Amino acid sequence: MPATAATAAGAGRPPGGAAATMEASGTWEADQPMAHDEFTRAVDASREVELTVTGRRSGRPISLPVWFVRDSDYLYLVPVSGSDSSWYRNVLRTPALQLTAGDAQLAASAAPVTDPARVGEIVDMFRAKYGTEDVAAYYPKQNAAVQVPLG
């Protein structure tokens, strides 16, 4: 299930995988380097990933579980509250993020997706993966997504 108000703040959920640190340049550097293929295998076997972003006010790492879809060499994330979601606004400020699937990690730079037609395509992929009813229930505002390159 996507992040709720409680999990969005990280309550009750420890960050997954190995630790990571934020460099002064604003990019993530994994403490344990991980191959692209390892992360791809881990994400293909997962239903959700742990997303770590930098708080736009605090500057601290914030982790939460999120649903995703994979399309070729990209992962797509849809914020539960659309463009009003805190983690989405954090990504707009600092695009560097970290994804964790099992023990595998990926440090990447995210790109916002706001074109209504493209967001609709991504939401359609979410419906195919998670079901129409759950996507309708958990994603009431579908006006934004995030694209994360896998390599």
Side-chain angles (χ1 to χ4, degrees):
M1 148 180 340
T4 62
T7 60
R13 296 231 14 184
T21 56
M22 177 65 84
E23 294 181 329
S25 65
T27 59
W28 285 98
E29 178 182 307
D31 292 343
Q32 299 175 351
M34 191 256 346
H36 164 72
D37 291 343
E38 181 184 346
F39 183 80
T40 301
R41 281 191 302 275
V43 83
D44 285 346
S46 300
R47 189 163 162 82
E48 68 182 24
V49 293
E50 188 82 14
L51 168 66
T52 303
V53 297
T54 302
R56 65 192 177 284
R57 292 188 184 116
S58 69
R60 289 187 244 156
I62 300 167
S63 297
L64 63 148
V66 295
W67 283 356
F68 68 92
V69 292
R70 179 172 170 234
D71 186 25
S72 187
D73 289 332
Y74 295 94
L75 286 187
Y76 293 94
L77 314 175
V78 175
V80 172
S81 299
S83 59
D84 295 333
S85 293
S86 288
W87 73 256
Y88 178 78
R89 290 183 293 172
N90 290 337
V91 166
L92 293 178
R93 163 82 45 92
T94 306
L97 55 76
Q98 180 175 309
L99 296 173
T100 304
D103 291 331
Q105 294 183 337
L106 174 73
S109 184
V113 178
T114 57
D115 173 67
R118 184 63 183 138
V119 171
E121 292 170 357
I122 295 165
V123 170
D124 285 344
M125 289 187 279
F126 266 66
R127 287 186 191 106
K129 181 174 181 177
Y130 297 104
T132 301
E133 290 180 13
D134 281 347
V135 171
Y138 294 121
Y139 296 91
K141 186 173 184 179
Q142 302 170 356
N143 69 337
V146 171
Q147 175 180 292
V148 181
L150 288 174

